Amino acid sequence: MEETELIELCARHSGVLVQLMPPWRYVVDGPLRAWTAEHRSTSDGLVAETAGEARGEEMLDVYVEHYTAQHARWSPAADGPQLRTENAPDFVPGAAGSFDPARSTVLVRAGRIVAQALVWPPEEDGGAEVTLQSRPHEGPTSRQDTEACLAAFVERSADGDVLLIDSHVTEELESAMMRGVPGPPPHPANTWTAIVGIPVPGGPDPLPLPRDLVPADVADTFAALIR
């Protein structure tokens, strides 16, 4: 189904635009390596390290904390224990679909993981999906801690590797960080990903994405879903 057909289908069912995710494709090249050299160390001198197989349980804790806070404003997640149970299989090294402990990175401060770059199994085109998270979700050092994890991962990557890094326009810190990461030339509008909420009888109404967060270059594309 074409993008316009999907948008029309959602509009017919009173779909509401609740989130936008910018183009997420990055390629390891000279500019990205230059960014890496500038962000590999935090202001207190910490450098991210390879996650390894022994940290799965704590990395799952960070995942649950970050995911819950990240989605609280626009798509509240299940409670912590349930979310942890549902995602636990993804943190068993070697299990199908689990994070890659040899490529994922963590930043440890005072013996505790404060940020991580989770690297998932390759996509069909060979791209590596990377999930960037911090603890706390938006704290005074969260941005530089997360940047250090991404930088450590890029250092371990080969030139030409494709990184798939998602971000959300509602996340001010996350969006600001990703705007600073050098990527390919400007993407066409249709490479944005829209998350749409469809109201159902007796259910909660979807929370519309604030109009001022919809970039001008994609506003026309998703006009039928903006409330």
Side-chain angles (χ1 to χ4, degrees), residues 87-100 120-121:
N87 288 277
D90 292 338
F91 289 83
V92 178
S98 177
F99 81 101
D100 185 340
W120 304 99

Side-chain angles (χ1 to χ4, degrees), residues 13 20 30 54 70 84 91 96 123-124 131 141 179 182 185 200 222 224:
H13 291 277
L20 275 173
Q70 180 186 57
R84 196 176 197 285
F91 289 83
E123 299 291 318
E124 290 183 2
T131 302
T141 67
R179 283 195 295 270
V200 296
F222 300 113

